[in-house]
Amino acid sequence: MAAPAGRWVEGNGCMATGRAEPDREMAVLVVEDEEPIRELVTTALRFRGFAVQAAATGRDALALGRNVAFDLIVLDVNLPDLDGFAICRKLREGGNTAPVIFLTARDDPADLREGFTGGGDDYVTKPFSLEELVLRVEAVLRRTRPTEAGPKRLVAGDLVLDEAAYRVWRNDDERFLSPTEYRLLHYLLLNRDRVVSKSQILDHVWHDEFAVDPSAVETYISYLRRKLDDRDGQLIRTVRGVGYALRTPDGDRPLP
Ligand code: CA
């Protein structure tokens, strides 16, 4: 009848009794295509004091993950459109650093390795208890919260982009970029010293505007080079047949 104190009652997603004392309202994204599981997890985390948003497809998850600052993402691996590992990789490439807990029916070590190299922080294998998942969520948040960072400055040599102020300087001289130029430079800076393809740029800078002509990437790269006094392409390098790479002077990735 009555569940033990503080334990989740499987099947109805309600907490029988116990504590509900979140430190503050933290935002969690739950991505799961199976509606009953999505509802249970969402309800359980809300009851625990989290602000929860839910997505049923990879596409919705990417859109939300790119536009909302979540403290943590619970990400199902098997989704009808995009694989959870691919979603995680895309979010990371776009600069999203929210910790990820994978929900997986797969317990193949190779799959799990893929998850962690793709930027996951933990995983829960289905079937799981809601209590276990909530404990994992809280543990990952405890582990990752001290490094929680707000907007920051991205630096590459004499190039500086201030995320909070939405401003860019080169050689201490402010450069005034259009919103698209800014998003393009921001994406290149997040991936500095790494080659990004035109399709990755289209995906991250123009998001879901599918009508964009791929030649727009070249056009905006040339705008950026002009505004950043990089006419010889030493800062934003063209990697023939692959894409572009923003090079830092010493070729490594110094932290801002
Ligand atoms: Ca699924």
Side-chain angles (χ1 to χ4, degrees), residues 30 33 49 71 112 114 141 182 188 205 207:
V30 173
D33 59 312
D71 294 292
L112 296 175
E114 188 188 341
L141 283 172
Y182 178 90
L188 291 171
V205 176
H207 297 313

Side-chain angles (χ1 to χ4, degrees), residues 26 138-150:
M26 301 194 90
E138 290 174 339
V140 168
L141 283 172
R142 266 197 306 278
R143 205 166 72 217
T144 54
R145 216 172 333 174
T147 62
E148 181 186 349

Side-chain angles (χ1 to χ4, degrees), residues 7-163:
R7 294 191 70 86
W8 295 98
V9 179
E10 294 295 339
N12 66 7
C14 293
M15 198 162 184
T17 166
R19 314 149 298 152
E21 81 297 78
D23 301 313
R24 70 169 173 84
E25 192 163 274
M26 301 194 90
V28 176
L29 172 61
V30 173
V31 185
E32 168 62 75
D33 59 312
E34 288 166 70
E35 195 183 349
I37 300 179
R38 187 173 67 244
E39 290 298 316
L40 277 175
V41 170
T42 301
T43 307
L45 289 171
R46 280 197 183 127
F47 190 87
R48 193 68 191 156
F50 294 101
V52 185
Q53 292 197 56
T57 64
R59 203 184 146 82
D60 288 350
L62 277 180
L64 275 167
R66 283 169 177 159
N67 293 309
V68 181
F70 290 102
D71 294 292
L72 184 138
I73 300 172
V74 176
L75 183 53
D76 184 28
V77 170
N78 293 301
L79 292 164
D81 51 352
L82 271 171
D83 174 297
F85 299 140
I87 295 169
C88 184
R89 267 196 305 274
K90 278 174 180 282
L91 288 172
R92 294 289 184 255
E93 285 167 9
N96 186 312
T97 56
V100 168
I101 298 179
F102 287 112
L103 298 182
T104 174
R106 314 174 183 186
D107 47 11
D108 181 339
D111 280 339
L112 296 175
R113 248 197 322 278
E114 188 188 341
F116 287 104
T117 53
D121 296 85
D122 203 352
Y123 67 93
V124 176
T125 307
K126 292 176 182 174
F128 56 87
S129 76
L130 285 171
E131 183 188 26
E132 181 193 2
L133 177 64
V134 171
L135 289 175
R136 295 281 184 107
V137 166
E138 290 174 339
V140 168
L141 283 172
R142 266 197 306 278
R143 205 166 72 217
T144 54
R145 216 172 333 174
T147 62
E148 181 186 349
K152 56 192 176 206
R153 287 190 155 209
L154 300 173
V155 181
D158 55 19
L159 176 69
V160 178
L161 179 149
D162 187 314
E163 290 182 329

